[in-house]
């Protein structure tokens, strides 16, 4: 049995370029589908957030049209509302990384708001990648990699080939013009190589110990790849 740390957002609002806010949180599919896969494989999951707050789910991610139908919507909602792992998170500042075997970061716009600049999350993710620990990140989750810095000020993930929610997808979703910054751009500026697939189609990138997924549809194949790395 492996122990997998879910690093999750505590933000329920995303601040836009004009200073207004948009309701957000984590994207249900990106948390629930890997969570179910890891648990089914016999692994243990611990959720950690800034300050230990209960991670807020993006309400839009529980809509039937976002989940592939009402059955999935009900399933996702049940998991995020009843699973102890999501209801009783630990604080990122209290996490001892050596107690875990892998790290996973689901997306939603929440990580753009808090994890992108969270020192505790950044330190954990930097230690994980430099120590060779399997790291899985999906959709907007790679925003958390922006805070993962080496002692010399460089990004710990610089030089890795990753994927993430793309500029094209942000435009198609109607958010690009409103955003303060775009994830693909910031990751590129930090020295990561962002590989893009077709908008909203499953696309997973594996580079050494890092597995990334482009969008919600990539959650299941990403979980499969991360499980391979856990043996």
């Amino acid at each position: 049995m492996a122990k997998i740390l879910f690093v999750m957002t505590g933000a329920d609002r995303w601040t836009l370029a004009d200073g207004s806010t948009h309701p957000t949180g984590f994207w249900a599919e990106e948390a629930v589908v890997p969570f179910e896969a890891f648990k089914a494989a016999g692994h243990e999951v611990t959720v950690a957030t800034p300050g230990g707050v209960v991670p807020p789910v993006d309400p839009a991610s529980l809509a039937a049209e976002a989940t592939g139908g009402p059955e999935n919507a009900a399933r996702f909602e049940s998991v995020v509302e009843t699973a102890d792992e999501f209801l009783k998170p630990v604080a990122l500042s209290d996490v001892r990384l050596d107690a875990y075997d892998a790290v996973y970061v689901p997306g939603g716009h929440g990580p753009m708001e808090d994890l992108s600049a969270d020192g505790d999350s950044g330190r954990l993710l930097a230690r994980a990648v430099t120590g060779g620990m399997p790291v899985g990140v999906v959709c907007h989750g790679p925003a958390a990699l922006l805070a993962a810095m080496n002692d010399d000020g460089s990004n710990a993930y610089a030089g890795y080939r990753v994927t993430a929610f793309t500029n094209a997808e942000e435009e198609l979703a109607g958010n690009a013009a409103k955003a303060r910054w775009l994830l693909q751009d910031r990751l590129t500026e930090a020295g990561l190589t962002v590989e893009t697939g077709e908008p909203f189609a499953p696309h997973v990138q594996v580079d050494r110990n890092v597995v990334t997924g482009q969008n919600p549809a990539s959650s299941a194949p990403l979980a499969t790849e991360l499980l391979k790395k856990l043996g």
Side-chain angles (χ1 to χ4, degrees):
M1 181 189 74
K3 294 185 176 182
I4 304 171
L5 178 70
F6 274 39
V7 174
M8 296 185 67
T9 183
D12 65 0
R13 293 288 186 274
W14 178 37
T15 305
L16 303 176
D18 64 1
S20 65
T21 59
H22 180 74
T24 189
F26 69 88
W27 200 257
E29 180 176 0
E30 297 166 19
V32 173
V33 169
F35 173 79
E36 290 178 331
F38 300 151
K39 296 279 282 188
H43 302 313
E44 181 180 314
V45 171
T46 297
V47 171
T49 63
V53 302
V54 174
V57 63
D58 188 323
S61 72
L62 295 174
E65 57 268 25
T67 60
E71 286 187 11
N72 280 343
R75 181 176 118 235
F76 293 172
E77 185 170 11
S78 175
V79 172
V80 300
E81 290 187 352
T82 64
D84 276 350
E85 289 89 345
F86 294 107
L87 297 178
K88 299 176 181 177
V90 300
L92 283 166
S93 58
D94 292 337
V95 170
R96 287 176 47 251
L97 189 64
D98 57 8
Y100 298 93
D101 302 292
V103 179
Y104 175 68
V105 188
H109 281 107
M112 300 269 283
E113 185 74 16
D114 59 359
L115 298 183
S116 61
D118 187 277
D120 294 317
S121 170
R123 281 187 288 275
L124 289 169
L125 288 167
R127 282 189 56 208
V129 72
T130 57
M133 180 180 288
V135 178
V137 198
V138 70
C139 200
H140 290 93
L145 305 184
L146 297 171
M149 309 303 290
N150 294 315
D151 291 340
D152 63 4
S154 63
N155 190 286
Y157 290 79
Y160 275 81
R161 303 183 81 82
V162 300
T163 189
F165 203 70
T166 65
N167 290 358
E169 286 170 319
E170 208 73 83
E171 288 167 8
L172 289 168
N175 295 315
K178 300 183 287 186
R180 290 180 296 169
W181 47 271
L182 297 177
L183 181 55
Q184 182 181 340
D185 292 345
R186 285 285 301 276
L187 291 169
T188 301
E189 291 165 6
L192 289 74
T193 299
V194 182
E195 303 284 354
T196 62
E198 288 296 315
F200 305 110
H203 176 220
V204 173
Q205 192 72 32
V206 181
D207 186 352
R208 290 161 278 179
N209 55 317
V210 178
V211 183
T212 48
Q214 181 171 313
N215 44 41
S218 307
S219 302
L222 183 151
T224 298
E225 292 296 330
L226 197 62
L227 283 170
K228 289 179 186 176
K229 292 193 173 296
L230 290 170

